[in-house]
Amino acid sequence: MSAADIIKDIKARKFKPVYLLHGEEPYYIDQIIHYMEEHILSDMEKGFNQTVLYGKDTDMAAVMNAAKRYPMMSDYQLIVVKEAQDLKWAKETEGSSKEAEFVQSYFEKPMPSTILVLGYKYANFDKRKKIYKSIDKNGLVFQSELVRDYKLAAWIDDFVKEKGYKIAPQASALMAEYLGADLSKIANEVEKLMLNIGKEVTIDTDLIQRNIGISKEYNVFELQKALAVKNVLKCNQIINYFADNPKANPMVMVMANLNAYFSKILKYHYLPNKGDAAKELGVNPYFVKDFETAARSYSLPKTFDIISLLREYDLKSKGVDSTGNITDGELLKELLFKMIH
């Protein structure tokens, strides 16, 4: 089930006695838990029947004792364990101790009047454990996986549409490049931006520049476009801006993006059917023409050379085969010259 499916069931008052919400991406786990806290119990019921515990401040015995209580003047009690990955049982779910048996027996036959929610973030729960299998059988397990870099722009598109707004492809690509894979951060920035515009307005790069602080003119996305057509002047302007603003444009981020970009150009060269480029490259169809242009500008051998250069200069930026007296900005300028010529 997706996060949306779980929330839909909760709206319909279809509850499970145990929820294990685990995974490397915390955004959906937090989203589900927040909805549960706000909507499962009424304000009157929450006082006696809603308990929030934190893994590092409690133990499994306390969680089990709370779960075995009966609700007061309510059909259900809600117990939320946040940061459940810090519970000892998360590491020691197997064994013959009385505590292990006590915990296991609860998940094999959970209280139907208790809704126990375990928020296990930043890692995946071990699926080999008996507890996992018991929760999967008698409750619900939700795994929140990281959104890969190449899917971030599409995720932003979908998020904006769900909110009833519109966003230009360049804008979602720009946000994906600069905000990274932290979905909570992306959602927060987009929601703040939405407060300042109407739903009839399309979110574009100008709005992002004014509201989020990303330079519309001097960013990795614009550098890629300038490289695609070998616009030497524009490339140098952007690299000089990066050199003057290293904190806003760290070399590690620039190198990672350029490596991903030229890897896609390399893949484009090998595509037997260029009509499948958007799907195969994992990009919005709007950007396929940019890769067509870049592939014409950089032959297959030259693309291989550039990828080798990117690896070489990535190592130099980390002190390998470097005198140590050259700045990241100077390395970028040197790299750019070799890439274009």
Side-chain angles (χ1 to χ4, degrees):
M1 295 180 73
S2 68
D5 291 333
I6 293 172
I7 290 173
K8 184 179 179 181
D9 273 0
I10 294 167
K11 283 182 180 177
R13 311 294 292 175
K14 297 177 182 178
F15 304 131
K16 298 289 185 180
V18 185
Y19 292 83
L20 172 59
L21 313 176
H22 73 120
E24 297 177 275
E25 174 50 66
Y27 174 76
Y28 288 111
I29 296 172
D30 289 338
Q31 187 183 49
I32 294 168
I33 288 177
H34 177 73
Y35 191 87
M36 288 176 160
E37 290 177 315
E38 293 296 316
H39 296 93
I40 287 180
L41 299 177
S42 68
D43 290 340
M44 186 179 297
E45 292 171 324
K46 287 177 184 177
F48 291 108
N49 300 292
Q50 186 156 305
T51 304
V52 177
L53 303 170
Y54 290 84
K56 64 181 179 180
D57 299 325
T58 190
D59 56 34
M60 205 56 200
V63 174
M64 292 292 94
N65 286 332
K68 284 180 171 288
R69 292 197 305 256
Y70 286 96
M72 293 181 64
M73 296 177 288
S74 173
D75 292 332
Y76 298 98
Q77 69 157 334
L78 173 65
I79 299 173
V80 178
V81 183
K82 297 183 178 181
E83 313 297 340
Q85 70 276 5
D86 293 329
L87 276 168
K88 287 184 180 179
W89 69 266
K91 301 172 184 176
E92 303 167 5
T93 52
E94 303 295 316
S96 58
S97 69
K98 289 184 178 180
E99 182 181 0
E101 292 174 3
F102 174 64
V103 171
Q104 179 63 34
S105 66
Y106 180 84
F107 291 110
E108 288 176 356
K109 194 174 181 181
M111 291 274 288
S113 58
T114 293
I115 301 169
L116 175 59
V117 185
L118 305 167
Y120 189 101
K121 300 197 294 187
Y122 309 113
N124 293 321
F125 197 91
D126 190 340
K127 297 180 180 180
R128 297 169 298 178
K129 300 293 186 182
K130 291 180 181 177
I131 282 182
Y132 178 92
K133 295 173 183 176
S134 296
I135 296 174
D136 193 33
K137 178 182 178 181
N138 302 305
L140 185 146
V141 175
F142 168 76
Q143 184 173 354
S144 185
E145 298 181 347
L146 290 172
V147 176
R148 302 303 172 192
D149 291 345
Y150 67 91
K151 292 183 177 180
L152 275 174
W155 187 90
I156 294 170
D157 286 341
D158 291 340
F159 180 82
V160 171
K161 288 175 184 176
E162 285 176 8
K163 298 292 183 180
Y165 289 78
K166 296 170 287 186
I167 187 168
Q170 306 98 311
S172 54
L174 181 60
M175 291 184 71
E177 293 282 0
Y178 270 81
L179 295 180
D182 186 337
L183 300 188
S184 296
K185 181 180 179 180
I186 293 172
N188 184 53
E189 292 292 348
V190 172
E191 286 172 346
K192 285 194 297 185
L193 189 153
M194 288 173 179
L195 293 174
N196 300 313
I197 62 172
K199 290 189 175 181
E200 73 282 357
V201 177
T202 298
I203 298 171
D204 58 17
T205 52
D206 287 325
L207 278 171
I208 290 173
Q209 182 182 19
R210 292 199 302 270
N211 291 277
I212 300 179
I214 301 170
S215 172
K216 184 189 78 167
E217 192 172 359
Y218 301 111
N219 58 68
V220 173
F221 186 60
E222 291 300 317
L223 176 60
Q224 291 173 0
K225 290 171 65 177
L227 281 168
V229 295
K230 290 192 173 182
N231 185 334
V232 178
L233 176 60
K234 184 65 175 178
C235 286
N236 279 299
Q237 287 175 335
I238 295 172
I239 289 296
N240 286 332
Y241 180 84
F242 288 176
D244 293 337
N245 299 273
K247 289 185 178 180
N249 305 275
M251 186 161 183
V252 63
M253 184 195 75
V254 176
M255 296 295 286
N257 280 283
L258 288 178
N259 185 69
Y261 178 65
F262 278 94
S263 294
K264 284 187 172 72
I265 295 171
L266 180 64
K267 190 172 183 178
Y268 183 87
H269 274 295
Y270 279 107
L271 287 178
N273 182 4
K274 304 302 190 215
D276 295 333
K279 180 181 177 182
E280 294 296 327
L281 300 180
V283 300
N284 189 302
Y286 178 89
F287 297 107
V288 170
K289 63 180 183 297
D290 293 335
F291 287 98
E292 292 174 359
T293 301
R296 288 194 296 268
S297 297
Y298 302 95
S299 65
L300 183 58
K302 180 62 176 177
T303 304
F304 272 116
D305 289 342
I306 289 173
I307 291 174
S308 295
L309 280 170
L310 288 167
R311 291 173 181 167
E312 176 188 340
Y313 276 79
D314 180 55
L315 291 173
K316 284 186 176 182
S317 71
K318 296 169 182 172
V320 180
D321 295 330
S322 176
T323 62
N325 297 321
I326 188 169
T327 66
D328 285 351
E330 290 169 328
L331 281 174
L332 281 172
K333 292 175 186 178
E334 188 178 290
L335 170 63
L336 179 69
F337 180 85
K338 292 181 179 180
M339 288 170 66
I340 294 177
H341 297 92

